[in-house]
mmCIF file of all heavy atoms in Angstrom:
data_model
loop_
_atom_site.group_PDB
_atom_site.id
_atom_site.type_symbol
_atom_site.label_atom_id
_atom_site.label_comp_id
_atom_site.label_asym_id
_atom_site.label_seq_id
_atom_site.Cartn_x
_atom_site.Cartn_y
_atom_site.Cartn_z
ATOM 1 N N VAL A 1 85.423 98.646 102.240
ATOM 2 C CA VAL A 1 85.895 97.788 101.157
ATOM 3 C C VAL A 1 87.412 97.861 101.033
ATOM 4 O O VAL A 1 88.095 96.834 100.904
ATOM 5 C CB VAL A 1 85.219 98.194 99.824
ATOM 6 C CG1 VAL A 1 85.878 97.471 98.645
ATOM 7 C CG2 VAL A 1 83.732 97.878 99.858
ATOM 8 N N VAL A 2 87.968 99.071 101.075
ATOM 9 C CA VAL A 2 89.422 99.250 100.972
ATOM 10 C C VAL A 2 90.123 98.590 102.158
ATOM 11 O O VAL A 2 91.130 97.888 101.998
ATOM 12 C CB VAL A 2 89.782 100.746 100.897
ATOM 13 C CG1 VAL A 2 91.289 100.944 100.978
ATOM 14 C CG2 VAL A 2 89.239 101.361 99.617
ATOM 15 N N SER A 3 89.590 98.782 103.356
ATOM 16 C CA SER A 3 90.198 98.204 104.553
ATOM 17 C C SER A 3 90.197 96.683 104.513
ATOM 18 O O SER A 3 91.137 96.037 104.986
ATOM 19 C CB SER A 3 89.443 98.691 105.796
ATOM 20 O OG SER A 3 89.924 98.075 106.963
ATOM 21 N N ALA A 4 89.139 96.101 103.949
ATOM 22 C CA ALA A 4 89.009 94.644 103.906
ATOM 23 C C ALA A 4 89.830 94.013 102.784
ATOM 24 O O ALA A 4 89.939 92.792 102.721
ATOM 25 C CB ALA A 4 87.541 94.256 103.746
ATOM 26 N N ASN A 5 90.389 94.831 101.903
ATOM 27 C CA ASN A 5 91.115 94.287 100.751
ATOM 28 C C ASN A 5 92.539 94.840 100.692
ATOM 29 O O ASN A 5 93.003 95.307 99.655
ATOM 30 C CB ASN A 5 90.359 94.614 99.460
ATOM 31 C CG ASN A 5 89.063 93.846 99.350
ATOM 32 O OD1 ASN A 5 89.035 92.713 98.881
ATOM 33 N ND2 ASN A 5 87.978 94.457 99.794
ATOM 34 N N GLN A 6 93.208 94.775 101.838
ATOM 35 C CA GLN A 6 94.597 95.205 101.898
ATOM 36 C C GLN A 6 95.527 94.151 101.280
ATOM 37 O O GLN A 6 95.176 92.976 101.174
ATOM 38 C CB GLN A 6 95.000 95.466 103.347
ATOM 39 C CG GLN A 6 94.305 96.679 103.966
ATOM 40 C CD GLN A 6 94.755 97.976 103.316
ATOM 41 O OE1 GLN A 6 95.926 98.320 103.326
ATOM 42 N NE2 GLN A 6 93.800 98.713 102.751
ATOM 43 N N ILE A 7 96.690 94.597 100.895
ATOM 44 C CA ILE A 7 97.673 93.714 100.266
ATOM 45 C C ILE A 7 98.421 92.938 101.347
ATOM 46 O O ILE A 7 98.780 93.498 102.393
ATOM 47 C CB ILE A 7 98.660 94.540 99.414
ATOM 48 C CG1 ILE A 7 97.884 95.410 98.438
ATOM 49 C CG2 ILE A 7 99.631 93.632 98.669
ATOM 50 C CD1 ILE A 7 96.880 94.661 97.594
ATOM 51 N N PRO A 8 98.685 91.632 101.142
ATOM 52 C CA PRO A 8 99.391 90.833 102.156
ATOM 53 C C PRO A 8 100.730 91.467 102.551
ATOM 54 O O PRO A 8 101.425 92.070 101.730
ATOM 55 C CB PRO A 8 99.612 89.487 101.453
ATOM 56 C CG PRO A 8 98.492 89.407 100.460
ATOM 57 C CD PRO A 8 98.264 90.809 99.993
ATOM 58 N N ALA A 9 101.066 91.297 103.822
ATOM 59 C CA ALA A 9 102.264 91.940 104.372
ATOM 60 C C ALA A 9 103.541 91.508 103.661
ATOM 61 O O ALA A 9 104.460 92.310 103.480
ATOM 62 C CB ALA A 9 102.361 91.613 105.866
ATOM 63 N N ASP A 10 103.604 90.235 103.215
ATOM 64 C CA ASP A 10 104.858 89.766 102.618
ATOM 65 C C ASP A 10 105.180 90.493 101.318
ATOM 66 O O ASP A 10 106.351 90.728 100.996
ATOM 67 C CB ASP A 10 104.810 88.248 102.398
ATOM 68 C CG ASP A 10 103.616 87.822 101.560
ATOM 69 O OD1 ASP A 10 102.755 88.671 101.268
ATOM 70 O OD2 ASP A 10 103.543 86.625 101.206
ATOM 71 N N GLN A 11 104.146 90.889 100.562
ATOM 72 C CA GLN A 11 104.402 91.635 99.328
ATOM 73 C C GLN A 11 105.010 93.005 99.616
ATOM 74 O O GLN A 11 105.939 93.443 98.943
ATOM 75 C CB GLN A 11 103.105 91.804 98.532
ATOM 76 C CG GLN A 11 102.559 90.520 97.936
ATOM 77 C CD GLN A 11 101.414 90.793 96.979
ATOM 78 O OE1 GLN A 11 101.350 91.833 96.343
ATOM 79 N NE2 GLN A 11 100.498 89.835 96.880
ATOM 80 N N LEU A 12 104.437 93.691 100.609
ATOM 81 C CA LEU A 12 104.938 95.021 100.932
ATOM 82 C C LEU A 12 106.329 94.954 101.552
ATOM 83 O O LEU A 12 107.179 95.823 101.306
ATOM 84 C CB LEU A 12 103.964 95.721 101.888
ATOM 85 C CG LEU A 12 102.548 95.951 101.337
ATOM 86 C CD1 LEU A 12 101.690 96.671 102.365
ATOM 87 C CD2 LEU A 12 102.596 96.757 100.048
ATOM 88 N N GLU A 13 106.586 93.920 102.350
ATOM 89 C CA GLU A 13 107.915 93.769 102.950
ATOM 90 C C GLU A 13 108.959 93.481 101.875
ATOM 91 O O GLU A 13 110.089 93.999 101.928
ATOM 92 C CB GLU A 13 107.886 92.651 103.987
ATOM 93 C CG GLU A 13 107.080 93.022 105.236
ATOM 94 C CD GLU A 13 106.834 91.834 106.145
ATOM 95 O OE1 GLU A 13 107.212 90.701 105.748
ATOM 96 O OE2 GLU A 13 106.259 92.022 107.233
ATOM 97 N N ALA A 14 108.586 92.673 100.882
ATOM 98 C CA ALA A 14 109.513 92.388 99.784
ATOM 99 C C ALA A 14 109.817 93.656 98.988
ATOM 100 O O ALA A 14 110.964 93.894 98.589
ATOM 101 C CB ALA A 14 108.920 91.315 98.869
ATOM 102 N N ALA A 15 108.772 94.485 98.775
ATOM 103 C CA ALA A 15 108.974 95.744 98.056
ATOM 104 C C ALA A 15 109.870 96.689 98.845
ATOM 105 O O ALA A 15 110.708 97.393 98.271
ATOM 106 C CB ALA A 15 107.628 96.401 97.774
ATOM 107 N N SER A 16 109.732 96.678 100.178
ATOM 108 C CA SER A 16 110.579 97.532 101.019
ATOM 109 C C SER A 16 112.036 97.101 100.934
ATOM 110 O O SER A 16 112.956 97.930 100.884
ATOM 111 C CB SER A 16 110.099 97.487 102.475
ATOM 112 O OG SER A 16 108.798 98.010 102.593
ATOM 113 N N LEU A 17 112.271 95.789 100.909
ATOM 114 C CA LEU A 17 113.635 95.277 100.797
ATOM 115 C C LEU A 17 114.275 95.662 99.464
ATOM 116 O O LEU A 17 115.492 95.806 99.360
ATOM 117 C CB LEU A 17 113.648 93.754 100.956
ATOM 118 C CG LEU A 17 113.315 93.222 102.356
ATOM 119 C CD1 LEU A 17 113.234 91.705 102.348
ATOM 120 C CD2 LEU A 17 114.371 93.686 103.372
ATOM 121 N N ASP A 18 113.405 95.842 98.449
ATOM 122 C CA ASP A 18 113.898 96.249 97.132
ATOM 123 C C ASP A 18 114.056 97.762 97.020
ATOM 124 O O ASP A 18 114.393 98.279 95.948
ATOM 125 C CB ASP A 18 112.947 95.764 96.039
ATOM 126 C CG ASP A 18 113.007 94.251 95.865
ATOM 127 O OD1 ASP A 18 114.021 93.657 96.265
ATOM 128 O OD2 ASP A 18 112.036 93.670 95.332
ATOM 129 N N GLY A 19 113.782 98.484 98.117
ATOM 130 C CA GLY A 19 113.988 99.920 98.135
ATOM 131 C C GLY A 19 112.808 100.759 97.714
ATOM 132 O O GLY A 19 112.958 101.968 97.474
ATOM 133 N N ALA A 20 111.614 100.166 97.633
ATOM 134 C CA ALA A 20 110.433 100.923 97.226
ATOM 135 C C ALA A 20 109.994 101.865 98.341
ATOM 136 O O ALA A 20 109.944 101.477 99.515
ATOM 137 C CB ALA A 20 109.289 99.982 96.866
ATOM 138 N N SER A 21 109.703 103.104 97.992
ATOM 139 C CA SER A 21 109.221 104.078 98.967
ATOM 140 C C SER A 21 107.763 103.803 99.306
ATOM 141 O O SER A 21 107.082 103.024 98.629
ATOM 142 C CB SER A 21 109.355 105.495 98.409
ATOM 143 O OG SER A 21 108.506 105.660 97.284
ATOM 144 N N SER A 22 107.249 104.468 100.349
ATOM 145 C CA SER A 22 105.852 104.289 100.752
ATOM 146 C C SER A 22 104.897 104.700 99.639
ATOM 147 O O SER A 22 103.896 104.021 99.376
ATOM 148 C CB SER A 22 105.568 105.109 102.014
ATOM 149 O OG SER A 22 106.361 104.671 103.086
ATOM 150 N N VAL A 23 105.240 105.806 98.956
ATOM 151 C CA VAL A 23 104.372 106.280 97.868
ATOM 152 C C VAL A 23 104.369 105.287 96.715
ATOM 153 O O VAL A 23 103.313 104.970 96.150
ATOM 154 C CB VAL A 23 104.841 107.668 97.380
ATOM 155 C CG1 VAL A 23 104.046 108.098 96.146
ATOM 156 C CG2 VAL A 23 104.696 108.695 98.492
ATOM 157 N N ARG A 24 105.555 104.775 96.385
ATOM 158 C CA ARG A 24 105.624 103.818 95.274
ATOM 159 C C ARG A 24 104.882 102.529 95.619
ATOM 160 O O ARG A 24 104.213 101.941 94.769
ATOM 161 C CB ARG A 24 107.086 103.527 94.948
ATOM 162 C CG ARG A 24 107.232 102.671 93.694
ATOM 163 C CD ARG A 24 108.670 102.501 93.294
ATOM 164 N NE ARG A 24 108.790 101.709 92.080
ATOM 165 C CZ ARG A 24 109.933 101.336 91.538
ATOM 166 N NH1 ARG A 24 111.078 101.720 92.108
ATOM 167 N NH2 ARG A 24 109.965 100.604 90.446
ATOM 168 N N LYS A 25 105.014 102.052 96.854
ATOM 169 C CA LYS A 25 104.285 100.850 97.257
ATOM 170 C C LYS A 25 102.784 101.065 97.171
ATOM 171 O O LYS A 25 102.039 100.175 96.747
ATOM 172 C CB LYS A 25 104.677 100.457 98.691
ATOM 173 C CG LYS A 25 106.047 99.818 98.808
ATOM 174 C CD LYS A 25 106.288 99.259 100.192
ATOM 175 C CE LYS A 25 106.424 100.365 101.230
ATOM 176 N NZ LYS A 25 106.747 99.839 102.568
ATOM 177 N N ARG A 26 102.334 102.270 97.566
ATOM 178 C CA ARG A 26 100.906 102.562 97.544
ATOM 179 C C ARG A 26 100.341 102.522 96.130
ATOM 180 O O ARG A 26 99.302 101.907 95.878
ATOM 181 C CB ARG A 26 100.651 103.943 98.175
ATOM 182 C CG ARG A 26 99.205 104.357 98.222
ATOM 183 C CD ARG A 26 98.476 103.659 99.340
ATOM 184 N NE ARG A 26 98.835 104.214 100.635
ATOM 185 C CZ ARG A 26 98.591 103.622 101.790
ATOM 186 N NH1 ARG A 26 98.003 102.447 101.809
ATOM 187 N NH2 ARG A 26 98.959 104.178 102.935
ATOM 188 N N PHE A 27 101.043 103.183 95.203
ATOM 189 C CA PHE A 27 100.481 103.359 93.866
ATOM 190 C C PHE A 27 100.943 102.310 92.853
ATOM 191 O O PHE A 27 100.274 102.121 91.828
ATOM 192 C CB PHE A 27 100.820 104.766 93.345
ATOM 193 C CG PHE A 27 100.092 105.852 94.072
ATOM 194 C CD1 PHE A 27 100.722 106.563 95.092
ATOM 195 C CD2 PHE A 27 98.776 106.140 93.782
ATOM 196 C CE1 PHE A 27 100.046 107.556 95.783
ATOM 197 C CE2 PHE A 27 98.087 107.131 94.464
ATOM 198 C CZ PHE A 27 98.717 107.844 95.473
ATOM 199 N N ALA A 28 102.051 101.617 93.121
ATOM 200 C CA ALA A 28 102.522 100.611 92.179
ATOM 201 C C ALA A 28 102.147 99.191 92.591
ATOM 202 O O ALA A 28 102.097 98.292 91.746
ATOM 203 C CB ALA A 28 104.047 100.707 92.031
ATOM 204 N N ILE A 29 101.892 98.975 93.893
ATOM 205 C CA ILE A 29 101.605 97.623 94.372
ATOM 206 C C ILE A 29 100.193 97.519 94.952
ATOM 207 O O ILE A 29 99.392 96.660 94.546
ATOM 208 C CB ILE A 29 102.644 97.200 95.435
ATOM 209 C CG1 ILE A 29 104.049 97.198 94.823
ATOM 210 C CG2 ILE A 29 102.305 95.809 95.988
ATOM 211 C CD1 ILE A 29 105.152 96.920 95.817
ATOM 212 N N GLU A 30 99.857 98.389 95.903
ATOM 213 C CA GLU A 30 98.576 98.271 96.589
ATOM 214 C C GLU A 30 97.391 98.656 95.702
ATOM 215 O O GLU A 30 96.451 97.875 95.530
ATOM 216 C CB GLU A 30 98.583 99.140 97.855
ATOM 217 C CG GLU A 30 99.588 98.694 98.908
ATOM 218 C CD GLU A 30 99.517 99.539 100.162
ATOM 219 O OE1 GLU A 30 98.445 99.611 100.770
ATOM 220 O OE2 GLU A 30 100.536 100.158 100.525
ATOM 221 N N LEU A 31 97.424 99.867 95.160
ATOM 222 C CA LEU A 31 96.278 100.368 94.401
ATOM 223 C C LEU A 31 95.901 99.486 93.216
ATOM 224 O O LEU A 31 94.713 99.199 93.019
ATOM 225 C CB LEU A 31 96.545 101.807 93.954
ATOM 226 C CG LEU A 31 95.384 102.516 93.231
ATOM 227 C CD1 LEU A 31 94.145 102.522 94.113
ATOM 228 C CD2 LEU A 31 95.786 103.928 92.846
ATOM 229 N N PRO A 32 96.868 99.010 92.392
ATOM 230 C CA PRO A 32 96.469 98.154 91.262
ATOM 231 C C PRO A 32 95.731 96.886 91.690
ATOM 232 O O PRO A 32 94.813 96.437 90.986
ATOM 233 C CB PRO A 32 97.810 97.816 90.592
ATOM 234 C CG PRO A 32 98.704 98.960 90.933
ATOM 235 C CD PRO A 32 98.313 99.333 92.342
ATOM 236 N N GLN A 33 96.121 96.307 92.830
ATOM 237 C CA GLN A 33 95.456 95.079 93.277
ATOM 238 C C GLN A 33 94.110 95.362 93.950
ATOM 239 O O GLN A 33 93.240 94.495 93.989
ATOM 240 C CB GLN A 33 96.374 94.328 94.246
ATOM 241 C CG GLN A 33 97.655 93.823 93.589
ATOM 242 C CD GLN A 33 98.473 92.960 94.525
ATOM 243 O OE1 GLN A 33 98.010 91.936 95.027
ATOM 244 N NE2 GLN A 33 99.722 93.372 94.769
ATOM 245 N N GLN A 34 93.938 96.562 94.495
ATOM 246 C CA GLN A 34 92.677 96.935 95.135
ATOM 247 C C GLN A 34 91.665 97.502 94.150
ATOM 248 O O GLN A 34 90.485 97.610 94.462
ATOM 249 C CB GLN A 34 92.939 97.980 96.226
ATOM 250 C CG GLN A 34 93.772 97.492 97.392
ATOM 251 C CD GLN A 34 94.181 98.630 98.306
ATOM 252 O OE1 GLN A 34 94.512 99.726 97.865
ATOM 253 N NE2 GLN A 34 94.153 98.374 99.611
ATOM 254 N N LEU A 35 92.142 97.836 92.956
ATOM 255 C CA LEU A 35 91.320 98.616 92.030
ATOM 256 C C LEU A 35 90.051 97.898 91.602
ATOM 257 O O LEU A 35 88.984 98.512 91.535
ATOM 258 C CB LEU A 35 92.151 98.984 90.797
ATOM 259 C CG LEU A 35 91.570 100.079 89.890
ATOM 260 C CD1 LEU A 35 91.334 101.358 90.679
ATOM 261 C CD2 LEU A 35 92.501 100.337 88.706
ATOM 262 N N ALA A 36 90.135 96.593 91.318
ATOM 263 C CA ALA A 36 88.960 95.866 90.847
ATOM 264 C C ALA A 36 87.831 95.904 91.873
ATOM 265 O O ALA A 36 86.668 96.146 91.534
ATOM 266 C CB ALA A 36 89.326 94.412 90.518
ATOM 267 N N GLY A 37 88.176 95.680 93.138
ATOM 268 C CA GLY A 37 87.160 95.730 94.188
ATOM 269 C C GLY A 37 86.609 97.131 94.385
ATOM 270 O O GLY A 37 85.407 97.309 94.617
ATOM 271 N N MET A 38 87.482 98.139 94.298
ATOM 272 C CA MET A 38 87.025 99.515 94.443
ATOM 273 C C MET A 38 86.098 99.908 93.301
ATOM 274 O O MET A 38 85.099 100.606 93.502
ATOM 275 C CB MET A 38 88.233 100.457 94.490
ATOM 276 C CG MET A 38 89.051 100.356 95.761
ATOM 277 S SD MET A 38 90.566 101.343 95.668
ATOM 278 C CE MET A 38 89.897 102.970 95.345
ATOM 279 N N LEU A 39 86.409 99.462 92.089
ATOM 280 C CA LEU A 39 85.550 99.774 90.945
ATOM 281 C C LEU A 39 84.182 99.120 91.100
ATOM 282 O O LEU A 39 83.156 99.710 90.763
ATOM 283 C CB LEU A 39 86.221 99.301 89.652
ATOM 284 C CG LEU A 39 87.466 100.082 89.209
ATOM 285 C CD1 LEU A 39 88.114 99.411 88.013
ATOM 286 C CD2 LEU A 39 87.095 101.521 88.875
ATOM 287 N N SER A 40 84.169 97.886 91.599
ATOM 288 C CA SER A 40 82.895 97.210 91.819
ATOM 289 C C SER A 40 82.067 97.938 92.874
ATOM 290 O O SER A 40 80.859 98.142 92.708
ATOM 291 C CB SER A 40 83.135 95.760 92.256
ATOM 292 O OG SER A 40 81.919 95.099 92.497
ATOM 293 N N ALA A 41 82.726 98.335 93.971
ATOM 294 C CA ALA A 41 82.017 99.089 95.007
ATOM 295 C C ALA A 41 81.574 100.448 94.480
ATOM 296 O O ALA A 41 80.481 100.926 94.795
ATOM 297 C CB ALA A 41 82.925 99.263 96.229
ATOM 298 N N GLY A 42 82.426 101.087 93.650
ATOM 299 C CA GLY A 42 82.051 102.355 93.053
ATOM 300 C C GLY A 42 80.856 102.227 92.134
ATOM 301 O O GLY A 42 79.992 103.117 92.077
ATOM 302 N N LEU A 43 80.779 101.107 91.407
ATOM 303 C CA LEU A 43 79.602 100.846 90.569
ATOM 304 C C LEU A 43 78.351 100.765 91.428
ATOM 305 O O LEU A 43 77.301 101.330 91.091
ATOM 306 C CB LEU A 43 79.805 99.539 89.802
ATOM 307 C CG LEU A 43 78.581 98.992 89.061
ATOM 308 C CD1 LEU A 43 78.149 99.937 87.944
ATOM 309 C CD2 LEU A 43 78.856 97.595 88.498
ATOM 310 N N LEU A 44 78.456 100.053 92.547
ATOM 311 C CA LEU A 44 77.313 99.925 93.445
ATOM 312 C C LEU A 44 76.863 101.294 93.950
ATOM 313 O O LEU A 44 75.663 101.595 93.979
ATOM 314 C CB LEU A 44 77.686 99.024 94.625
ATOM 315 C CG LEU A 44 76.551 98.555 95.531
ATOM 316 C CD1 LEU A 44 75.604 97.648 94.775
ATOM 317 C CD2 LEU A 44 77.115 97.833 96.743
ATOM 318 N N VAL A 45 77.816 102.145 94.322
ATOM 319 C CA VAL A 45 77.490 103.486 94.804
ATOM 320 C C VAL A 45 76.826 104.308 93.700
ATOM 321 O O VAL A 45 75.842 105.011 93.933
ATOM 322 C CB VAL A 45 78.758 104.196 95.324
ATOM 323 C CG1 VAL A 45 78.466 105.664 95.631
ATOM 324 C CG2 VAL A 45 79.279 103.496 96.568
ATOM 325 N N ALA A 46 77.368 104.219 92.478
ATOM 326 C CA ALA A 46 76.787 104.960 91.366
ATOM 327 C C ALA A 46 75.359 104.519 91.090
ATOM 328 O O ALA A 46 74.464 105.351 90.852
ATOM 329 C CB ALA A 46 77.650 104.787 90.114
#
């Protein structure tokens, strides 16, 4: 589920141009957008 719901490359490239570190991109950009799908999959697992 996580692999299939990656953030588009242009968003991450724009964040890199703005000086965002890898950790900040992961937790400030990627994770918030992936969270809804992960929660749904987590519900299914539960």
Side-chain angles (χ1 to χ4, degrees):
V1 170
V2 172
S3 175
N5 291 274
Q6 292 293 300
I7 307 307
D10 56 353
Q11 291 189 30
L12 298 181
E13 290 169 355
S16 297
L17 291 175
D18 289 339
S21 65
S22 298
V23 174
R24 187 174 181 184
K25 285 189 291 184
R26 180 78 74 196
F27 290 99
I29 299 175
E30 295 183 58
L31 184 57
Q33 295 186 58
Q34 295 170 321
L35 194 57
M38 289 173 58
L39 290 173
S40 179
L43 170 65
L44 191 65
V45 171

